[in-house]
Amino acid sequence: MPALDGMRILDMTQYEAGTSCTQALAWMGADVVKVEPPGGGDPGRGAMRGARNSPYFLNWNSNKRSIVIDLRRPSGRQLLLDMAPHYDVFVENYGPGVVEKLGIGYDVMRAAHPGIIYARVKGFGVSGPHAGYKCYDMVAQAAAGAFSVTGEPEGPPTMPGPTIGDSGTGVQLALGVLGAYVQQQRTGEGQLVEISMQEAATYYMRSRIAGGSQWGEAVAPRNGNGHGPLVNLYPCRPFGPNDYAYVIAATPRMWRTLCDVLGRPELADDPRYKDAAGREEHADDLAALIGEWTKQRTKWEVMQTLGEAGIPSSAVFDTVDLFHDEHLLSRGFVHELEHPDHGRVRLLGWAPRLSKSDVPLRRAPLLGEHSDEVLAADLALSAAEIAELRTAGALG
């Protein structure tokens, strides 16, 4: 049985910070009904490539159902309020003040369903001087300090690649929703769950803060790709843009093992490299030795050789490598499914694995694909009543 079987979520999210939250819960078995506006629906459907049902949308909305409601119309708003008592959770990540203008703020939804969990994502939260500011992933990361520790020491702050400001926030919100859901099941009481993207992104900064900020009294430095020759990135054959391997020989035992792997066991007792201070003093020479070895091998050969020797190392995977990696394929992490617009597509899976919960991956829904079935099941509306709502413009 799916872990969250029976949990129902009204998902009024868009783009990524909210959609990643509801998708995480859907991947564990929650019934997620995505409420979208008429026209184009979630603007994420056209994001990045500008096409209907873009790959961006497919990556953040699998295992959901879609219903289209025009909340600007009184009849559409009432339809949502009528649906609310049939759900445990409502999630939104619209801009500051939008849901209040639509008349579906927390107090309104709680009046319709006193036990509802009302979860919301805002860039800077719902209080404080910046509460009215709009936000996207990289704005949140900049505000969390992530830019300041990314890049080369002498270079400018650099935009990180992963979207931890969005999806990192979404997964934390999912954890908050689960906590509220457990409490709801015990007490019957709902509550407001609110998260700030700025605050959520600082969660991923803690190690860098701990390692260089002196309890907020100093600026943590940028370290580029490494921390000296034994924790660094090295080029590999055939020297393409991502032909690199990351190596971490962090302990004395790993250092000695690395010397053996390099075919230079005598280096372990060489006075220049015998201790950490010496290795730091002669960092350039040591980096050249390691780089000379990696340049004779592919990144995959470096990863295998060092990994089997007990030295943490990885090839720099690019976004094609991920879908062809024999390890990820063997674990069933890469999924293939059919989509009406794209044909056969590949998607990466959900990392947590629950031994007693099996939830197959389903494609993201087409816009309004499940409107009729959801309303018939939730509100017992007939086909004629649904058609009347559609004619009146409340339902897309």
Side-chain angles (χ1 to χ4, degrees), residues 188-385:
E189 296 178 348
Q191 61 184 293
L192 176 65
V193 181
E194 178 241 336
I195 194 167
S196 151
M197 293 169 65
Q198 179 192 27
E199 293 170 6
T202 67
Y203 181 84
Y204 306 99
M205 287 288 297
R206 292 176 186 233
S207 292
R208 299 303 299 273
I209 290 170
S213 74
Q214 297 178 23
W215 307 106
E217 298 299 325
V219 176
R222 289 189 281 280
N223 296 113
N225 287 315
H227 300 270
L230 299 187
V231 181
N232 222 313
L233 191 68
Y234 287 96
C236 303
R237 297 175 55 196
F239 310 111
N242 290 300
D243 286 319
Y244 291 84
Y246 203 79
V247 178
I248 301 182
T251 68
R253 177 177 291 183
M254 290 177 187
W255 159 239
R256 284 189 169 274
T257 302
L258 179 61
C259 293
D260 291 339
V261 170
L262 295 175
R264 300 290 301 276
E266 74 280 2
L267 293 178
D269 296 313
D270 188 310
R272 293 173 297 169
Y273 309 126
K274 192 171 184 179
D275 56 29
R279 292 192 287 272
E280 183 176 348
E281 181 181 352
H282 299 281
D284 290 344
D285 292 342
L286 188 52
L289 287 169
I290 299 171
E292 182 180 333
W293 181 82
T294 64
K295 287 176 183 177
Q296 298 174 41
R297 294 159 176 81
T298 68
K299 61 185 180 181
W300 310 113
E301 291 170 337
V302 170
M303 180 179 180
Q304 181 177 2
T305 301
L306 295 182
E308 290 178 352
I311 299 171
S313 174
S314 178
V316 172
F317 284 61
D318 62 33
T319 55
V320 171
D321 295 332
L322 289 172
F323 290 92
H324 299 278
D325 177 47
E326 62 180 4
H327 179 74
L328 294 179
L329 289 169
S330 73
R331 286 173 54 80
F333 190 69
V334 181
H335 299 260
E336 290 194 7
L337 46 122
E338 293 288 338
H339 189 278
D341 290 347
H342 300 283
R344 197 76 174 167
V345 298
R346 285 177 294 195
L347 297 172
L348 300 179
W350 173 234
R353 296 167 186 258
L354 285 67
S355 64
K356 299 297 184 180
S357 175
D358 182 24
V359 181
L361 185 70
R362 304 194 312 271
R363 66 165 174 82
L366 302 178
L367 181 61
E369 182 176 354
H370 306 96
S371 295
D372 291 27
E373 74 176 41
V374 168
L375 293 177
D378 288 357
L379 304 181
L381 296 183
S382 66
E385 290 171 316

Side-chain angles (χ1 to χ4, degrees), residues 8-329:
R8 304 200 69 205
I9 300 171
L10 272 175
D11 173 9
M12 209 176 92
T13 66
Q14 57 180 347
Y15 291 116
E16 185 177 334
T19 58
S20 57
C21 166
T22 51
Q23 180 172 255
L25 298 169
W27 275 342
M28 291 186 286
D31 177 20
V32 177
V33 174
K34 187 174 178 71
V35 180
E36 301 187 70
D42 175 351
R45 286 185 180 272
M48 294 189 177
R49 296 188 184 180
R52 183 183 70 172
N53 298 316
S54 69
Y56 176 83
F57 180 84
L58 267 61
N59 271 280
W60 294 113
N61 289 280
S62 55
N63 288 52
K64 302 179 184 181
R65 298 190 287 167
S66 171
I67 180 171
V68 175
I69 300 176
D70 190 345
L71 295 171
R72 297 167 300 178
R73 296 177 180 268
S75 54
R77 174 180 173 275
Q78 188 57 52
L79 188 61
L80 183 73
L81 295 178
D82 290 342
M83 294 173 64
H86 298 271
Y87 293 81
D88 303 291
V89 183
F90 174 82
V91 186
E92 67 90 10
N93 72 313
Y94 277 64
V98 172
V99 295
E100 287 80 7
K101 289 179 181 177
L102 290 171
I104 52 171
Y106 177 48
D107 290 343
V108 174
M109 292 292 280
R110 184 173 56 176
H113 177 15
I116 200 164
I117 296 165
Y118 191 106
R120 56 194 328 203
V121 181
K122 294 291 171 281
F124 296 91
V126 298
S127 62
H130 299 162
Y133 292 5
K134 294 181 180 179
C135 188
Y136 285 96
D137 171 84
M138 291 307 167
V139 173
Q141 292 207 49
F147 279 58
S148 75
V149 296
T150 306
E152 294 300 323
E154 302 305 320
T158 301
M159 181 180 76
T163 54
I164 61 170
D166 271 337
S167 57
T169 298
V171 172
Q172 288 184 50
L173 181 62
L175 179 61
V177 167
L178 286 176
Y181 183 65
V182 170
Q183 190 171 5
Q184 181 200 60
Q185 298 303 296
R186 290 173 176 166
T187 67
E189 296 178 348
Q191 61 184 293
L192 176 65
V193 181
E194 178 241 336
I195 194 167
S196 151
M197 293 169 65
Q198 179 192 27
E199 293 170 6
T202 67
Y203 181 84
Y204 306 99
M205 287 288 297
R206 292 176 186 233
S207 292
R208 299 303 299 273
I209 290 170
S213 74
Q214 297 178 23
W215 307 106
E217 298 299 325
V219 176
R222 289 189 281 280
N223 296 113
N225 287 315
H227 300 270
L230 299 187
V231 181
N232 222 313
L233 191 68
Y234 287 96
C236 303
R237 297 175 55 196
F239 310 111
N242 290 300
D243 286 319
Y244 291 84
Y246 203 79
V247 178
I248 301 182
T251 68
R253 177 177 291 183
M254 290 177 187
W255 159 239
R256 284 189 169 274
T257 302
L258 179 61
C259 293
D260 291 339
V261 170
L262 295 175
R264 300 290 301 276
E266 74 280 2
L267 293 178
D269 296 313
D270 188 310
R272 293 173 297 169
Y273 309 126
K274 192 171 184 179
D275 56 29
R279 292 192 287 272
E280 183 176 348
E281 181 181 352
H282 299 281
D284 290 344
D285 292 342
L286 188 52
L289 287 169
I290 299 171
E292 182 180 333
W293 181 82
T294 64
K295 287 176 183 177
Q296 298 174 41
R297 294 159 176 81
T298 68
K299 61 185 180 181
W300 310 113
E301 291 170 337
V302 170
M303 180 179 180
Q304 181 177 2
T305 301
L306 295 182
E308 290 178 352
I311 299 171
S313 174
S314 178
V316 172
F317 284 61
D318 62 33
T319 55
V320 171
D321 295 332
L322 289 172
F323 290 92
H324 299 278
D325 177 47
E326 62 180 4
H327 179 74
L328 294 179
L329 289 169

